[in-house]
Amino acid sequence: MVKDENVLTNEGMRFFGRMSATATHEIKNTLAIINESAGLLKDLSIMAEKGSPLPPARINDISRMLTRQVKRADLILKKLNRFSHSVDLSTEVADLEKTVSFVLDLASPLIEKQETAVKITAPVSPMMVTTNLFYLENMIWRAVETACCAAKEKKQVIISFGTDLTAPSIWFSMDTGKNTLMDDLFGSKEDRALMTYLDISIEKNKKNNGFGFLWPKCI
Amino acid sequence: MSKQNAINEISGIQAYHKFNISKKNTFEMPSRVLLVDDEKEFVLTLSERLQMRDMATAVVYNGKSALDLIHNDAPEVMIIDLKMPGIDGMEVLKKVKQTQPEIKVIVLTGHGSEQDKQKCMDLGAFAYMQKPIDINRLSETLKKAHENITADE
């Protein structure tokens, strides 16, 4: 049991570190653009002192670029702040679709790097589970990463939800090409610890081109 | 628009361009610098500032375009980001050092891992620098790269 807890804690820290590193990397990029824009304004002012006319359209472009990057950095920080608060409660009621959307947004630079389009098909009604939000986000990310790696032909992953609101489920399907999904999918000790903690089981879909996470039926 | 410019626009490649305003001697700086970064606003602004400092620059937004470009039109120095979709900066560095080792590669990244830095230096990077960068520090590094090339010749 203690061993499982250690596996879970280590996996949680790895996930937190990876998402934080991704967000801070993005913030560094926005700062780099702000830095270059400020530097360009300085260059233009030095040139103006030497007699070159200031180009108003260029100044306007730079101003808009600065505003855009400040907004971008603010959005990244909001995401990071929301993510940091995922650890506040040990259990809470989570909306599965909203949680999946948030994880995709948080990890968007990592997903873009894989050049895979990830799309969500919304459930007919909100699908709620009582769970630990942070580890749910962690498990969803592991699933998205696995699905992106398995998407071979058409680099696309579709995330959908089951129809039985009393037995929540999330499904990930992709074009696996000639490859079929491995039997030991989510067989690592980290996956097993997460699934046990979150009380979810895994099933392959009927076409063998995807998998689902299933929660026990609530009576 | 010329045919070459039209091709460049389609492929996301900005041909080496120089519009210099500064009046200083240019022989101490690299004449052709290729910038590779998927952050378009960053790379275009940096390119504009380097052009103001007497360097001819070209810009591409991904690793594949960079490798395509250097095959036909090699720069003296490349400034590359590490994290890019498709072929990432590390892979570009590796391929450049295998095929055209004379090109000096400066890694300029927002990613701060010491392991990445070590890996890049082991692969033959000329320098590993962090974003945001001070333009004078970058210019100084570009100057050193150029001196290094001149010494090799």
Side-chain angles (χ1 to χ4, degrees), chain A residues 14 24 26 29 40-41 51 61 79 103 112 138 148 182:
Chain A
R14 243 195 314 269
T24 51
E26 258 204 288
N29 274 328
L40 183 56
L41 285 175
D61 283 348
K79 274 191 274 184
V103 172
E112 276 165 28
N138 190 344
C148 285
M182 293 174 296

Side-chain angles (χ1 to χ4, degrees), chain A residues 1-42:
Chain A
M1 193 64 189
V2 173
K3 200 179 160 197
D4 275 359
E5 279 174 18
N6 286 343
V7 171
L8 202 60
T9 307
N10 289 343
E11 169 55 22
M13 285 177 71
R14 243 195 314 269
F15 172 58
F16 196 86
R18 185 141 190 230
M19 293 301 128
S20 305
T22 302
T24 51
H25 178 238
E26 258 204 288
I27 293 168
K28 280 269 228 172
N29 274 328
T30 64
L31 286 175
I33 296 169
I34 292 168
N35 182 55
E36 289 313 317
S37 305
L40 183 56
L41 285 175
K42 192 178 173 191

Side-chain angles (χ1 to χ4, degrees), chain A residues 35-50 52 54-55 59 62, chain B residues 21 45-53 135-136:
Chain A
N35 182 55
E36 289 313 317
S37 305
L40 183 56
L41 285 175
K42 192 178 173 191
D43 291 346
L44 291 172
S45 74
I46 291 169
M47 282 161 53
E49 278 170 12
K50 289 180 181 172
S52 297
L54 271 178
I59 303 285
I62 298 167
Chain B
I21 304 101
T45 313
L46 181 60
S47 164
E48 192 174 342
R49 296 190 74 205
L50 292 177
Q51 286 165 15
M52 287 174 168
R53 286 162 177 78
I135 194 82
N136 294 325

Side-chain angles (χ1 to χ4, degrees), chain A residues 25 28, chain B residues 77-83 89-90 93 104-133 137-138 141-142 145:
Chain A
H25 178 238
K28 280 269 228 172
Chain B
V77 183
M78 281 174 80
I79 299 176
I80 57 169
D81 186 19
L82 284 186
K83 308 286 169 189
M90 199 86 79
L93 168 65
K104 303 292 171 200
V105 181
I106 297 171
V107 176
L108 178 57
T109 179
H111 199 70
S113 141
E114 274 301 311
Q115 291 99 307
D116 279 352
K117 180 180 177 179
Q118 194 53 53
K119 212 169 164 187
C120 288
M121 299 315 286
D122 291 347
L123 284 171
F126 181 76
Y128 184 95
M129 306 181 92
Q130 291 271 330
K131 290 180 187 172
I133 185 80
R137 260 194 71 212
L138 180 60
T141 308
L142 284 161

Side-chain angles (χ1 to χ4, degrees), chain A residues 69-218:
Chain A
Q69 294 304 323
V70 169
K71 279 185 186 160
R72 180 183 168 196
D74 184 47
L75 279 174
I76 301 163
L77 285 171
K78 277 182 182 148
K79 274 191 274 184
L80 193 56
N81 184 264
R82 177 176 164 184
F83 178 57
S84 305
H85 282 292
S86 305
V87 297
D88 287 354
L89 301 170
S90 56
T91 55
E92 60 189 289
V93 178
D95 180 316
L96 283 183
E97 187 205 355
K98 284 184 181 165
T99 309
V100 169
S101 300
F102 176 65
V103 172
L104 295 183
D105 195 20
L106 183 71
S108 56
L110 296 172
I111 297 168
E112 276 165 28
K113 207 169 165 281
Q114 305 214 27
E115 297 182 304
T116 303
V118 183
K119 291 180 181 167
I120 301 179
T121 307
V124 276
S125 312
M127 189 163 272
M128 317 301 283
V129 290
T130 302
T131 190
N132 179 289
L133 183 59
F134 175 72
Y135 283 117
L136 174 64
E137 289 167 347
N138 190 344
M139 194 70 226
I140 289 169
W141 167 243
R142 289 181 77 91
V144 170
E145 205 176 22
T146 303
C148 285
C149 286
K152 297 285 177 205
E153 299 289 316
K154 227 179 167 182
K155 297 287 277 174
Q156 182 174 284
V157 174
I158 307 283
I159 303 177
S160 58
F161 301 85
T163 48
D164 182 355
L165 295 178
T166 63
S169 57
I170 311 177
W171 293 90
F172 300 81
S173 57
M174 50 274 168
D175 188 344
T176 53
K178 286 172 187 164
N179 302 333
T180 49
L181 288 171
M182 293 174 296
D183 285 330
D184 62 347
L185 204 61
F186 299 100
S188 72
K189 61 181 189 299
E190 289 83 7
D191 291 319
R192 286 198 303 270
L194 278 166
M195 287 195 288
T196 306
Y197 187 73
L198 294 168
D199 196 18
I200 55 177
S201 54
I202 182 167
E203 262 182 29
K204 282 188 196 172
N205 66 8
K206 285 174 189 158
K207 289 183 183 170
N208 202 21
N209 67 347
F211 54 85
F213 292 150
L214 293 83
W215 277 261
K217 198 171 178 72
C218 322

